[in-house]
Amino acid sequence: SGKLYQHATTEASQATLASVSPVFAVMKLDKEGNTTCFEKKKTELYQELGLQARDLRFQHVMSIATRNNRIIVRMEFLKAVITPEFLLILDYRNLNLEHWLVNELASQLAGEGQLVTYSLPFEFRAIEAILQYRISKLQGRLNTLQPQILETLEALVDPKLLSVDRSKLHILLQNGKSLSELETDLKVFKETILEILDEEEVIEELCLSKWTDPQVFEESTSGIDHAEEMELLLENYYRQAEDLANEARELRVLIDDSESIIFINLDSHRNVMMRLNLQLTMGTFSLSLFGLIGVAFGMNLESSLEE
């Protein structure tokens, strides 16, 4: 009776945990670009995918990992699971990405986009599409910041201005903060890709079809090394992120140099004001010396000079 009670208690607790399990809004995209949307409990989802509960926690801001012949991707707010047959986007409703998911990603996976990996297995297309989206977002942020920063700096370092516009300084401060956030995101992106490039086993594991489709494996051993293709793909986006990081670094150096020029201009104006103050003080002192003569003769004292 005790064992039966424990068994019933365990089943009840599992049922309770399953009832409070989070529900994912899932968008499923297959090789042909067909899109299906549905809701699935986390417990049911990771069981169907052959994963563990911890695999769908998405603890890091960016990560690319493999579990049980599945690729689990986290790109900031984008959470995805890639299999050899389909791509799952989790919590897609909270991302406001329906336009990209339906109009761009679906067509890219179907071969209508500009993906260079279309001739390769499905997981290559899915990874490239996600990396391309992330790089395009980072590029867009840089394209927005760059003209704003250049315009603000040009106004601040103008030698004709005798004072610094505080509103411009406030804009520069906000842009500098946004630039720092962009530099951090680029650094995380590069480090994540570099960690994979440094591990040959991880690159091999990313080639899902190599282990599930014998024909793909035979083609790979006969001269088409999919691991090398995956490495080249990751290196391509690492290089693009490096180029963006260099542009952001140049903007940071330009801001620092402009700050030095602003401080020099302020020091120059401060010296002019100090010189003017000194000249006024000397002039006042000189006039006061001439006033001593009138003071001396205006005193009510008798002397021979009044005669």
Side-chain angles (χ1 to χ4, degrees):
S1 60
K3 291 182 179 180
L4 290 175
Y5 175 75
Q6 292 179 355
H7 180 69
T9 304
T10 303
E11 288 185 347
S13 62
Q14 290 178 349
T16 303
L17 290 175
S19 64
V20 299
S21 177
V23 177
F24 286 126
V26 183
M27 178 177 288
K28 180 179 179 180
L29 301 99
D30 59 15
K31 298 178 181 180
E32 287 73 29
N34 299 321
T35 304
T36 306
C37 300
F38 55 89
E39 292 186 353
K40 182 80 68 173
K41 287 186 177 180
K42 181 178 180 180
T43 52
E44 298 176 355
L45 184 62
Y46 70 70
Q47 289 174 1
E48 290 181 4
L49 294 173
L51 301 174
Q52 300 294 327
R54 60 178 176 271
D55 296 329
L56 299 181
R57 287 177 187 160
F58 301 98
Q59 298 175 344
H60 302 285
V61 175
M62 178 176 175
S63 62
I64 301 176
T66 57
R67 295 286 189 277
N68 194 23
N69 209 38
R70 304 284 188 265
I71 301 175
I72 304 170
V73 180
R74 174 71 181 266
M75 292 286 175
E76 199 175 12
F77 302 109
L78 180 64
K79 298 179 286 188
V81 179
I82 303 172
T83 74
E85 294 81 22
F86 54 84
L87 166 65
L88 299 180
I89 304 296
L90 309 182
D91 289 337
Y92 71 93
R93 293 175 182 169
N94 300 329
L95 303 177
N96 296 322
L97 298 178
E98 286 83 355
H99 176 76
W100 172 71
L101 293 173
V102 177
N103 298 334
E104 297 184 24
L105 179 59
S107 60
Q108 287 178 333
L109 296 178
E112 299 176 4
Q114 300 296 325
L115 299 181
V116 298
T117 56
Y118 177 68
S119 59
L120 295 172
F122 176 76
E123 63 269 16
F124 285 81
R125 281 178 273 165
I127 291 177
E128 183 183 4
I130 293 175
L131 292 178
Q132 187 182 90
Y133 169 76
R134 181 59 176 160
I135 283 291
S136 65
K137 283 296 182 182
L138 295 173
Q139 179 72 62
R141 288 167 59 184
L142 181 61
N143 292 341
T144 302
L145 280 175
Q146 191 172 28
Q148 295 179 358
I149 292 176
L150 294 177
E151 181 182 357
T152 305
L153 292 178
E154 185 178 358
L156 287 173
V157 299
D158 189 354
K160 298 179 182 178
L161 298 178
L162 299 179
S163 61
V164 178
D165 189 350
R166 295 188 175 218
S167 62
K168 296 291 184 182
L169 286 176
H170 182 66
I171 294 174
L172 182 62
L173 179 62
Q174 291 180 331
N175 291 334
K177 182 180 178 181
S178 300
L179 183 62
S180 298
E181 294 174 352
L182 176 60
E183 289 177 321
T184 302
D185 292 341
L186 286 168
K187 181 181 178 181
V188 172
F189 184 92
K190 289 167 50 184
E191 289 178 348
T192 303
I193 300 297
L194 191 60
E195 287 178 1
I196 300 175
L197 292 174
D198 290 339
E199 297 292 338
E200 185 177 353
E201 295 181 357
V202 178
I203 297 177
E204 292 278 355
E205 292 174 356
L206 290 176
C207 304
L208 305 180
S209 300
K210 184 176 181 178
W211 311 108
T212 58
D213 190 347
Q215 183 179 358
V216 171
F217 182 77
E218 291 175 2
E219 292 177 355
S220 176
T221 55
S222 64
I224 304 176
D225 192 345
H226 287 169
E228 292 183 3
E229 294 283 357
M230 181 65 71
E231 185 175 1
L232 291 174
L233 174 64
L234 296 175
E235 283 183 351
N236 177 43
Y237 285 95
Y238 177 84
R239 187 167 55 252
Q240 292 186 38
E242 182 68 24
D243 293 340
L244 292 179
N246 290 335
E247 293 183 26
R249 195 176 302 112
E250 291 176 359
L251 276 179
R252 176 64 61 189
V253 172
L254 187 60
I255 290 176
D256 295 339
D257 293 342
S258 300
E259 287 180 352
S260 300
I261 295 175
I262 292 171
F263 290 145
I264 291 173
N265 290 336
L266 290 177
D267 290 338
S268 176
H269 294 314
R270 190 180 299 110
N271 292 336
V272 171
M273 297 302 297
M274 292 176 63
R275 188 183 303 112
L276 179 60
N277 186 30
L278 179 61
Q279 291 173 351
L280 290 175
T281 302
M282 293 176 62
T284 304
F285 179 71
S286 301
L287 292 176
S288 64
L289 290 179
F290 290 102
L292 289 176
I293 299 176
V295 172
F297 284 99
M299 296 178 67
N300 296 325
L301 296 176
E302 295 182 356
S303 64
S304 60
L305 293 178
E306 67 268 13
E307 297 294 335

